Amino acid sequence: MPMPKLATLIGGLLLSRGGRRVAGRHAGKLALATLAYELWRKRQDERAGVPPRQEQSQSHPRQRWSGRRR
């Protein structure tokens, strides 16, 4: 799945010192804005008749390593 433009924008913010400060101060607002954008995009796709996107899932998800050896 190609990376959304919004994610690259937010990633660019995090690369600069001022961007990190803004992102830290407004993290909740950025998260809500991202969620709202994804929801809006999904609804636009439904209206246009585009088939729903499938998330890439791993066929066998890895188990977390517990730190203990067997």
Side-chain angles (χ1 to χ4, degrees):
M1 178 175 149
M3 187 175 291
K5 292 180 183 179
L6 188 60
T8 56
L9 176 69
I10 293 172
L13 275 176
L14 297 176
L15 291 176
S16 67
R17 179 182 295 161
R20 284 193 304 269
R21 184 172 51 239
V22 168
R25 189 176 297 153
H26 303 289
K29 295 173 195 166
L30 287 171
L32 282 175
T34 304
L35 182 63
Y37 172 74
E38 292 295 328
L39 182 61
W40 173 81
R41 189 171 169 187
K42 181 180 174 186
R43 288 187 178 174
Q44 292 297 320
D45 287 348
E46 287 174 358
R47 284 186 185 172
V50 176
R53 298 173 190 193
Q54 300 232 343
E55 297 292 326
Q56 291 180 349
S57 63
Q58 296 177 349
S59 58
H60 299 288
R62 289 185 176 179
Q63 292 182 343
R64 286 187 60 187
W65 182 57
S66 66
R68 295 175 51 182
R69 293 186 182 172
R70 294 181 181 199

